[in-house]
Amino acid sequence: QVQLVESGGGLVQAGGSLRLSCAASGTIFSIGTMAWYRQAPGKQRELVASITAVHSTNYADSAKGRFTISRDNAKNTVNLQMSSLKPDDTAIYYCNAEVQRFPAIGGRSYWGQGTQVTVSS
């Protein structure tokens, strides 16, 4: 199996910063794109940022200029550095990864359990 475990969420004041981390473990042959999504109460889950295995990044408009996604392929980790946080950033943040467990078998998407980020005004 594959597990994604997030950490680093919490309560922060508007304008503050947080760093989210996600570590993938289990039977892993390779990991493709890794990403962070978020879901606010009453809203659909949305992509925040993604990063490919060759470190090509993509950001939601709401994250551009404030968030930075990075990964360590050797450690199977992905991070999200968030700064200039706003109350609208309050949500549960989920880590996602496209994981190939074996060379002869295609990859599939895995999700972490989520970590709460709350930004107070």
Side-chain angles (χ1 to χ4, degrees), residues 4-86:
L4 299 181
V5 179
E6 301 108 332
S7 61
L11 174 64
V12 65
Q13 288 189 331
S17 299
L18 277 177
R19 181 179 177 86
L20 305 182
S21 296
C22 173
S25 63
T27 303
I28 297 172
F29 173 71
S30 68
I31 301 179
T33 298
M34 304 184 82
W36 287 96
Y37 287 75
R38 68 185 183 187
Q39 187 167 19
K43 295 186 177 181
Q44 289 188 332
R45 190 173 298 189
E46 62 178 4
L47 175 68
V48 177
S50 64
I51 184 168
T52 68
V54 294
H55 300 272
S56 177
T57 59
N58 178 57
Y59 294 92
D61 287 344
S62 59
K64 288 178 181 177
R66 299 188 300 127
F67 296 0
T68 301
I69 190 170
S70 61
R71 67 187 282 172
D72 185 327
N73 290 339
K75 297 180 179 179
N76 292 334
T77 58
V78 61
N79 301 306
L80 185 69
Q81 179 67 47
M82 304 185 293
S83 60
S84 302
L85 283 162
K86 307 173 183 178

